[in-house]
Amino acid sequence: MQRAPLAVVAIVAATLIAGCDDDATTITSSSSSASTPPSGAAPAPAAVDYARWQAGTSKPTADKLYPQHGTAALDVLHYDLKLEWQPPKKLLTGTATLRIRPTADAAELKLDFKPYQLDKVTVDGAVTPATVRKEKLVVPAALSKDKPITLVVAYHGKPATTPIPSHRSDVEPLGLTITKEGGLWTMQEPWGAFTWYPANDQPSDKALYDIAVTVPAGWSGIAAGSLVTRQGNTFRYRSIDPMATYLQTLAVGKYKKVSAKGPRGIPLTYWYRPGKDEKFLPSLKKSPAFVSFLEKRFGPYPFPTGGAVMVDSESAMETQQMITMGGKKKRFDRELFEEDLLHEYAHHWFGDSVTPSTWTDLWLNEGWATYVQFLYSQSVLEYSDKELEDYLRRADADLRKRLGPPGKPRAANFAESNVYLCPAAMLKELNDALGDAKFFALGRAWVQTQKNTQQNRASFTAFVNKQTGRDFTKLINSWLDSKSTPRPA
């Protein structure tokens, strides 16, 4: 997510801006026993080779900050979503095929899901009773640990958003949002994927994706991943690198596409709406330079394609391979927009490729992206390290007092400024202790050797100590846990 809003702070001649529903729907089997097909029924489907989705294997972790979302009992390997959007009816029709590895024996499975009308639910080909209640899809099924199953859910209805647990000034309700023109867009951190497909909506369960979006003639459908084909009005996207649900995106509207090449020939795509988003194009077209800036410090861009899509939001989001940039601004500040865009690209290394196991470690995403953003700003505005140090310490002191330390975030204050600026100050301290060469070698090794994994404070601290040959445990813990700004090392 883009940096949290902060007060404007002068640095020399430059300016830094730091930046339930109780209704239930049910579908039941027409047979008294879903496991025993009637005489003359179609033969059982052929065995599924789940090895093809092995790259989607995760180690789901229960999220203590938001335990009502997601589950550690299921590991979704692959989402196959077939979606159709009909603007006049405001109707989303979907068929979601999930390849799921249970992590424990169970008599049912539960996924996060808004109460759409269920049309049909099957488990391994057998029609199965299912209920959506209080934003949970509940499906009776005899689950065995590590024995994958295939769940298919057909559904339809009008999308609706869900509240965000934050007091930021630039956030809106989460999930799939209908525009006044009848289009769609979504941002869904820390959750919201469940507003348009059944999902294990928490960060530790990363999965592969195939998404097909059918839209009206003259419209475009955009999702995270790489655009594989366009056949008529259907756009198909694929993610061969595993992705957390909060990093998926969907945008539907009357878009035009601009194609470009990044460093090493990486395909980049910018989606904009004519008559609405042209002012953002010059900045979007700087993406190759932003990616080059990041590659120089942290190694190759971690995905096969990249780009950005403009939507009617006040915020921005590091959605995987396809950044979702909000164009709903009271005043367009080109410099700020470009810093935010670089911030989101930085997340593709820190957050998308290497993802925190739980939301308690959001600092691990935002601290790195924010510090990298300051390094970029410093390269443009040419303020000194001391001026950056002074600014970060002033901001850190205020934020700890108001919001607490970044390593102990409050559930009601998701993604507020303390998890951005305070860990960025920690990384500045680590940079000072190591020097640029060793610091960037550390960052590069972290994202390149831990690619497509889920990590936490303990694993990061152990990695830093091993990589540097020094014990930085005290420095890291003090910056993450202290009620006041730690003294300089």
Side-chain angles (χ1 to χ4, degrees):
M1 184 178 287
Q2 76 178 51
R3 57 189 171 178
L6 295 169
V8 178
V9 179
I11 298 184
V12 194
T15 299
L16 281 181
I17 305 177
C20 290
D21 198 316
D22 290 333
D23 295 337
T25 61
T26 304
I27 182 169
T28 59
S29 170
S30 59
S31 169
S32 60
S33 174
S35 61
T36 306
S39 177
V48 177
D49 179 13
Y50 288 91
R52 62 186 292 193
W53 301 295
Q54 185 176 1
T57 303
S58 304
K59 295 179 180 179
T61 303
D63 190 89
K64 294 181 180 179
L65 201 61
Y66 303 112
Q68 70 274 31
H69 290 277
T71 176
L74 302 174
D75 172 19
V76 181
L77 306 174
H78 180 254
Y79 293 94
D80 187 330
L81 308 178
K82 293 180 173 60
L83 308 169
E84 181 179 3
W85 175 241
Q86 299 178 50
K89 299 180 180 179
K90 296 182 179 178
L91 178 64
L92 180 70
T93 303
T95 299
T97 301
L98 281 65
R99 315 292 182 173
I100 302 172
R101 178 185 67 88
T103 62
D105 296 346
E108 65 180 15
L109 65 83
K110 288 186 178 181
L111 292 165
D112 302 289
F113 196 40
K114 272 284 191 180
Y116 284 86
Q117 177 63 47
L118 298 177
D119 299 318
K120 186 178 181 180
V121 177
T122 66
V123 176
D124 290 337
V127 176
T128 305
T131 302
V132 180
R133 185 180 296 277
K134 294 183 178 179
E135 300 185 336
K136 291 289 183 180
L137 171 68
V138 182
V139 183
L143 304 180
S144 299
K145 181 180 179 180
D146 293 328
K147 183 180 179 181
I149 65 163
T150 296
L151 171 72
V152 181
V153 182
Y155 57 96
H156 70 274
K158 180 181 177 180
T161 57
T162 191
I164 183 171
S166 181
H167 300 91
R168 288 177 52 159
S169 62
D170 65 335
V171 294
E172 303 116 331
L174 298 166
L176 201 57
T177 303
I178 304 173
T179 70
K180 63 181 181 180
E181 297 86 6
L184 296 172
W185 63 272
T186 182
M187 291 192 192
Q188 46 204 43
E189 185 185 17
W191 57 73
F194 75 96
T195 65
W196 51 290
Y197 64 95
N200 194 14
D201 213 355
Q202 47 107 310
S204 67
D205 187 2
K206 299 173 73 167
L208 307 178
Y209 278 86
D210 281 280
I211 299 182
V213 188
T214 300
V215 297
W219 293 50
S220 297
I222 299 109
S226 299
L227 179 60
V228 179
T229 62
R230 176 185 177 181
Q231 297 174 318
N233 298 327
T234 299
F235 296 73
R236 300 180 187 277
Y237 295 83
R238 175 166 294 164
S239 299
I240 61 174
D241 292 282
M243 179 191 314
T245 53
Y246 81 95
L247 296 170
Q248 186 52 261
T249 195
L250 180 66
V252 175
K254 297 180 180 179
Y255 283 93
K256 282 194 174 182
K257 180 178 71 171
V258 175
S259 298
K261 293 287 186 181
R264 299 176 296 104
I266 300 168
L268 299 174
T269 303
Y270 322 126
W271 295 91
Y272 75 101
R273 295 156 298 179
K276 197 169 188 176
D277 298 324
E278 282 88 350
K279 64 185 176 184
F280 302 107
L281 274 176
S283 298
L284 293 174
K285 290 179 178 180
K286 292 184 179 180
S287 292
F290 297 151
V291 175
S292 293
F293 178 89
L294 293 160
E295 282 201 343
K296 182 179 178 181
R297 289 154 180 80
F298 305 112
Y301 182 69
F303 304 114
T305 64
V309 57
M310 297 301 307
V311 302
D312 289 337
S313 172
E314 293 185 15
S315 190
M317 186 65 209
E318 63 268 22
T319 40
Q320 195 157 306
Q321 297 182 241
M322 183 55 62
I323 292 168
T324 307
M325 292 296 294
K328 188 179 178 182
K329 308 287 186 182
K330 294 180 180 178
R331 182 179 66 87
F332 176 48
D333 183 323
R334 188 179 303 278
E335 183 178 284
L336 180 59
F337 180 87
E338 291 175 2
E339 286 189 18
D340 285 341
L341 183 57
L342 178 129
H343 179 106
E344 307 308 342
Y345 274 120
H347 272 309
H348 285 190
W349 283 260
F350 301 99
D352 294 21
S353 183
V354 182
T355 306
S357 296
T358 71
W359 290 119
T360 299
D361 289 321
L362 179 60
W363 64 268
L364 194 51
N365 288 9
E366 299 300 351
W368 275 100
T370 301
Y371 185 55
V372 172
Q373 178 183 326
F374 278 124
L375 294 178
Y376 171 77
S377 174
Q378 190 177 26
S379 73
V380 174
L381 300 176
E382 299 182 342
Y383 50 84
S384 70
D385 282 347
K386 184 180 185 306
E387 288 158 341
L388 176 58
E389 174 88 12
D390 291 345
Y391 166 73
L392 286 172
R393 285 187 166 274
R394 287 195 303 271
D396 181 276
D398 173 65
L399 292 170
R400 285 178 195 271
K401 184 177 180 180
R402 290 192 292 111
L403 297 169
K408 297 178 180 179
R410 301 167 186 168
N413 299 95
F414 179 77
E416 296 191 24
S417 300
N418 60 328
V419 298
Y420 290 71
L421 269 292
C422 302
M426 177 191 75
L427 292 170
K428 174 70 168 64
E429 190 86 357
L430 192 60
N431 192 351
D432 290 343
L434 291 171
D436 285 350
K438 290 183 178 180
F439 176 78
F440 290 118
L442 168 68
R444 183 186 183 112
W446 171 248
V447 294
Q448 296 299 330
T449 65
Q450 309 302 310
K451 183 178 179 181
N452 293 338
T453 64
Q454 305 85 38
Q455 301 293 331
N456 56 29
R457 182 205 295 209
S459 61
F460 176 73
T461 303
F463 186 91
V464 170
N465 293 344
K466 182 177 180 180
Q467 179 71 21
T468 63
R470 297 172 60 180
D471 189 353
F472 285 104
T473 305
K474 183 178 179 180
L475 182 150
I476 293 171
N477 286 342
S478 62
W479 277 97
L480 294 180
D481 297 333
S482 176
K483 293 181 180 179
S484 59
T485 303
R487 294 180 179 179

